[in-house]
């Protein structure tokens, strides 16, 4: 009897698992490991960089493995129960960001940033986990007011809710993540069916706020230079160095690339930070146009699948969480690829599942675990309804 129950439980686990989402994510991660190894390969014979390179690779691999395990566990937990924990999740995220503000660290070239918590053996970029908290809490908030979402008394608290994470990441000097949160906020409001008039007013407000910040010098230093460099690249050759070399590397790969570990610019280190921010340049140079498009197609399949699960969710909370996760992935892909093609300023946004970075990989798999939960429990309800009738 126990063996029968065990077999039934195992069968139910696998029958309720969305293989397209998890397999696409794992393939993306494996492809990412291949690209990250190539980006770090030339540093492995330099004693001063050997330890940091191996550490970066190990952290990425271990975080991915842990992330996959957590995703599979979360797939067994009813997402409704997760969403109802939003006050504790939101409070935990806020406390985490406050700790980061006071005790966080930044990279050597960004002494003003305090976006990472350093634990010695590893560091955590807290804004990555704030995304999870925002998606869960904002989905629940949107669901609470869904019947009267276009009333001013409901719009104002929603705007405040959206501004909180944006303000928190700006406080830690992470302007890139602030942009991702802004896109997530707008996207989730759109899928919650907010009146189009609010979007027009909001976009106008954003434009006015940006122009005022620019005029008053609030946007200054390196951030200002990176924006100006897009319009006057010849005057900011030093600022555009990374992006310019990245485009040259991708272009030199042609259709099929120069071969794995054979990319001249990749292996010479001509494209800085190509294991994270500029990872697509490695795919483009060593695997060519085909390799770079494979990256984009894998992420497109993942985003479409996540959105599709949301559209078939059994309730509004599941729908909003899945669409929020899809928008998050889309925002990061849009900004990273735009950055690598010099269409957007270089603001340090990684490519989901492909770039080096434990925090990013772990947080994405956690969100995919929520998607797997929505798929499992929505499917279970449809099956029960089928047999009921």
């Amino acid at each position: 009897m126990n063996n029968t129950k065990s077999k039934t439980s195992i069968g139910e686990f696998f029958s309720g698992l969305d293989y397209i989402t998890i397999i696409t994510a794992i393939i993306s991660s494996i492809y990412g490991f291949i690209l990250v190894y190539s980006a770090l390969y030339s540093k492995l014979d330099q004693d001063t960089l050997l330890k940091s390179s191996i550490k970066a690779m190990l952290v990425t691999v271990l975080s991915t493995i842990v992330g996959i395990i957590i995703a599979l566990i979360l797939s067994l937990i009813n997402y409704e129960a997760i969403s109802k924990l939003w006050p504790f999740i939101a409070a935990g995220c806020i406390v985490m960001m406050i700790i980061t503000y006071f005790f966080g660290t930044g990279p050597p070239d960004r002494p003003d940033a305090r976006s990472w918590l350093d634990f010695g053996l590893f560091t955590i970029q807290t804004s990555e986990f704030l995304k999870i908290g925002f998606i869960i809490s904002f989905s629940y908030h949107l669901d609470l007011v869904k019947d009267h979402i276009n009333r001013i008394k409901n719009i104002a608290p929603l705007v405040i809710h959206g501004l909180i994470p944006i303000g928190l990441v700006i406080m830690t000097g992470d302007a890139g993540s602030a942009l991702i949160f802004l896109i997530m906020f707008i996207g989730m409001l759109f899928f919650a069916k907010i009146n189009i008039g609010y979007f027009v007013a909001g976009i106008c407000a954003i434009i006015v706020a940006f122009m005022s910040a620019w005029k008053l010098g609030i946007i200054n230093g390196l951030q200002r230079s990176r924006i100006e460099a897009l319009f006057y690249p010849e005057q900011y050759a030093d600022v555009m160095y990374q992006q310019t070399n990245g485009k040259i590397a991708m272009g030199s790969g042609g259709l099929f690339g120069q071969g794995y570990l054979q990319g001249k610019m990749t292996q010479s280190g001509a494209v800085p930070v190509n294991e994270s921010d500029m990872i697509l340049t490695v795919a483009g140079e060593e695997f060519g146009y085909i390799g770079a498009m494979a990256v984009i197609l894998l992420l497109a399949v993942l985003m479409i699948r996540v959105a599709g699960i949301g559209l078939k969710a059994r309730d509004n909370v599941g729908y909003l969480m899945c669409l929020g996760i899809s928008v998050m992935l889309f925002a990061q892909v849009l900004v990273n690829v735009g950055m690598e093609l010099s269409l957007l300023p270089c603001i340090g946004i990684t490519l989901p599942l492909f770039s080096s970075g434990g925090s990013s990989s772990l947080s994405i798999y956690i969100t995919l675990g929520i998607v797997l939960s929505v798929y499992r429990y929505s499917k279970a309800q449809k099956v029960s309804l089928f047999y009921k009738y």
Side-chain angles (χ1 to χ4, degrees):
M1 181 66 72
N2 290 334
N3 289 336
T4 302
K5 286 183 178 179
S6 177
K7 290 179 181 178
T8 302
S9 298
I10 293 172
E12 288 176 352
F13 170 78
F14 286 106
S15 65
L17 188 64
D18 177 38
Y19 290 97
I20 296 177
T21 295
I22 195 66
I23 290 175
T24 303
I26 291 173
I27 292 173
S28 298
S29 292
I30 293 172
Y31 191 4
F33 297 156
I34 293 170
L35 297 177
V36 170
Y37 179 79
S38 179
L40 297 173
Y41 181 73
S42 62
K43 301 176 183 178
L44 296 180
D45 60 351
Q46 302 177 38
D47 293 337
T48 56
L49 297 173
L50 176 60
K51 290 183 179 179
S52 61
S53 297
I54 293 177
K55 179 180 177 182
M57 191 69 193
L58 285 176
V59 167
T60 302
V61 173
L62 289 174
S63 297
T64 299
I65 293 172
V66 171
I68 293 170
I69 294 171
I70 293 175
L72 294 176
I73 293 172
L74 285 174
S75 75
L76 296 171
I77 302 172
N78 193 327
Y79 65 91
E80 289 183 353
I82 297 173
S83 69
K84 289 177 181 178
L85 294 173
W86 74 266
F88 304 101
I89 295 171
C93 288
I94 291 172
V95 170
M96 179 178 63
M97 293 304 295
I98 292 173
I99 292 173
T100 304
Y101 175 73
F102 286 104
F103 303 103
T105 61
D109 60 333
R110 286 290 311 281
D112 59 317
R114 296 184 297 277
S115 304
W116 286 263
L117 288 178
D118 191 346
F119 293 94
L121 293 175
F122 60 92
T123 58
I124 292 177
Q125 188 173 6
T126 51
S127 62
E128 295 293 339
F129 299 97
L130 181 63
K131 293 172 186 174
I132 304 171
F134 175 68
I135 289 170
I136 293 171
S137 62
F138 200 52
S139 295
Y140 197 86
H141 189 170
L142 287 167
D143 183 62
L144 285 176
V145 298
K146 63 179 179 180
D147 294 328
H148 307 286
I149 196 169
N150 287 305
R151 293 183 179 178
I152 293 294
K153 68 175 184 178
N154 291 326
I155 291 293
L158 288 172
V159 171
I160 293 172
H161 193 150
L163 290 176
I164 289 173
I166 294 173
L168 288 171
V169 293
I170 288 176
M171 281 171 53
T172 61
D174 192 355
S177 291
L179 178 59
I180 299 300
F181 276 102
L182 178 61
I183 296 173
M184 289 167 59
F185 171 63
I186 294 172
M188 291 183 72
L189 285 176
F190 175 80
F191 288 113
K193 301 177 177 64
I194 290 286
N195 191 295
I196 193 66
Y198 289 117
F199 282 103
V200 175
I203 291 172
C204 290
I206 292 170
I207 293 172
V208 171
F210 177 81
M211 293 177 65
S212 299
W214 186 271
K215 191 72 174 179
L216 296 172
I218 297 174
I219 301 175
N220 53 31
L222 184 58
Q223 293 177 348
R224 191 182 186 97
S225 297
R226 284 173 172 172
I227 295 172
E228 292 177 331
L230 295 177
F231 302 96
Y232 308 101
E234 65 284 349
Q235 297 179 22
Y236 292 90
D238 55 335
V239 176
M240 292 295 292
Y241 174 82
Q242 181 185 30
Q243 290 168 288
T244 300
N245 281 9
K247 288 190 296 182
I248 294 172
M250 282 192 281
S252 66
L255 185 61
F256 298 107
Q258 298 177 13
Y260 187 53
L261 303 179
Q262 302 300 314
K264 293 181 180 178
M265 301 191 75
T266 295
Q267 300 309 320
S268 67
V271 184
V273 204
N274 63 345
E275 73 276 9
S276 57
D277 298 354
M278 307 295 286
I279 194 69
L280 192 63
T281 66
V282 181
E285 183 177 34
E286 298 195 340
F287 296 114
Y289 175 79
I290 300 298
M293 283 306 301
V295 172
I296 303 300
L297 286 174
L298 280 168
L299 290 171
V301 169
L302 187 62
M303 288 184 285
I304 293 170
R305 181 61 179 179
V306 170
I309 291 173
L311 292 173
K312 295 178 181 178
R314 65 180 180 178
D315 59 20
N316 197 45
V317 171
Y319 160 78
L320 289 168
M321 286 200 294
C322 287
L323 269 297
I325 292 166
S326 185
V327 170
M328 177 192 74
L329 293 170
F330 171 77
Q332 290 191 215
V333 173
L334 175 70
V335 174
N336 179 272
V337 174
M339 184 179 73
E340 297 198 48
L341 296 177
S342 299
L343 299 175
L344 293 172
C346 192
I347 52 177
I349 296 299
T350 56
L351 195 61
L353 300 177
F354 284 90
S355 296
S356 170
S359 297
S360 176
S361 296
L362 182 57
S363 66
I364 288 172
Y365 273 105
I366 291 173
T367 61
L368 292 180
I370 295 172
V371 173
L372 295 176
S373 174
V374 174
Y375 176 85
R376 182 184 298 278
Y377 284 91
S378 296
K379 180 180 179 181
Q381 184 186 53
K382 289 176 182 177
V383 170
S384 65
L385 287 173
F386 175 79
Y387 285 115
K388 181 178 179 181
Y389 293 101

